[in-house]
Amino acid sequence: MLYNDVELHNVTAIEAIPGKPGMRLQRVPDSVRADLNEGASGASLAPTSCEVRFVTKSPTPRVKLYSDVHHEYVHVSQGDFLQSEVMIEPGATRTIELQAAVDLPGLVQANGLRSAFAPTVWRLRLSGTGRVHLVSVDAGGLPVRPPMDSEKPAKRWLAYGSSITQGFSAPRLANPYVVQAARQLGVDVYNVGFGGSCHAERELTDYFAARDDWDLITCELGINLHNHTMPIAEAADRFAYLARTLGAAQPDKPVVLITAFFSSHDLRPPSENVRMRADSLRAAVRDAAANCGCDNVTLIEGTDLLPSLRGLSPDLVHPSDHGMTIIADNLAARLAPLIG
């Protein structure tokens, strides 16, 4: 979305909060949040993979951000080139003073280097699970504008899923597999991962189906229901509705369902209830893809993307930073033929 001549990427709503500076960024609008489970409603306010993007001729613009709840880390880039990481204290406003590498755009162009983002585009990528407010962007009186289409990737990927999609266990949530795979593919990514609360609500499916800003959607499903009381039949109905609705709504765009990644459940004997539930949820995702009647719906097994515990953190659920890279490499190879 656009706000005060800057682009707020992966942000679908902003809100002024009494007693807090600026505008709070959120990944899902309130009209949809109201129909989600409590965890997802809260997680949709987290600024994970949200970006403040703009172009200006000022060599030293300033961006003021406020971080509520806890520490927030901001990755500052000129186009594809990561420049620095900035930390904002909880409950504090931080003015981030940018310093342009003025020779960068010319050198990139002169050497014919390919980049997904033009090096003239400032990108401040957020990574946390708290709440972040944009207070201001100041270019010292010079004009500020959002990036043009030619200055950013042409293809856009919407990634829905659990905390693994959101980026838990990746350093500072800054490099989840979706961010790494998007970088490899040269596409823009909307990260709509919800830690502990990916329940595939019908209202969320309808919201995704109605959006016209994605060229590919992936849905990592099942793992947040491994230890949940939701009946398998209800989960299967939700997965089937998701596959059928997304596939039919935009039949010319790839829809990819991803079963649960390898986790501690797969180390249990097949006769144990937790293992049987995990197997049943994976089967429900497979059935949803196979029976939706949509040629654009594809299934990818999560265990093919992360095939062993070697890529996991000690909790044996969330990938380590190495595991995130393994998933990204394998997924990018699977998605490349689909996205073109």
Side-chain angles (χ1 to χ4, degrees), residues 27-229:
R27 294 181 293 154
V28 174
D30 288 340
S31 58
V32 179
R33 288 181 56 237
D35 294 315
L36 303 181
N37 67 82
E38 183 178 357
S41 180
S44 65
L45 299 177
T48 312
S49 302
C50 296
E51 295 187 23
V52 178
R53 297 175 176 174
F54 62 93
V55 177
T56 180
K57 291 185 177 180
S58 170
T60 55
R62 297 181 176 187
V63 179
K64 189 176 291 186
L65 298 171
Y66 168 79
S67 178
D68 206 354
V69 183
H70 54 61
H71 292 84
E72 179 62 41
Y73 295 86
V74 184
H75 277 191
V76 179
S77 298
Q78 285 183 249
D80 293 335
F81 297 87
L82 178 63
Q83 186 181 90
S84 63
E85 181 184 68
V86 179
M87 188 269 288
I88 310 173
E89 296 281 354
T93 299
R94 173 79 182 264
T95 299
I96 302 175
E97 300 182 354
L98 308 179
Q99 182 69 49
V102 294
D103 292 337
L104 180 61
L107 290 172
V108 169
Q109 183 177 17
N111 287 276
L113 298 177
R114 295 182 61 186
S115 58
F117 290 89
T120 50
V121 178
W122 282 109
R123 302 170 58 206
L124 283 75
R125 180 160 55 86
L126 309 173
S127 63
T129 57
R131 311 287 183 263
V132 170
H133 299 216
L134 173 63
V135 180
S136 64
V137 175
D138 179 10
L142 293 175
V144 171
R145 65 168 176 83
M148 297 182 293
D149 289 345
S150 60
E151 295 172 317
K152 56 186 181 179
K155 297 291 181 72
R156 297 158 299 180
W157 165 22
L158 193 156
Y160 173 55
S162 70
S163 58
I164 300 173
T165 294
Q166 191 174 354
F168 281 61
S169 293
R172 311 207 198 289
L173 279 75
N175 287 302
Y177 73 87
V178 293
V179 169
Q180 296 190 48
R183 188 181 299 121
Q184 293 187 41
L185 293 166
V187 303
D188 227 345
V189 65
Y190 302 114
N191 185 340
V192 198
F194 294 153
S197 51
C198 174
H199 293 176
E201 289 92 339
R202 289 188 173 218
E203 294 83 1
L204 192 62
T205 291
D206 292 340
Y207 167 65
F208 290 154
R211 287 179 58 164
D212 62 357
D213 59 350
W214 53 268
D215 301 289
L216 161 76
I217 186 167
T218 60
C219 300
E220 173 239 329
L221 302 171
I223 201 163
N224 285 157
L225 298 175
H226 282 185
N227 298 314
H228 200 274
T229 58

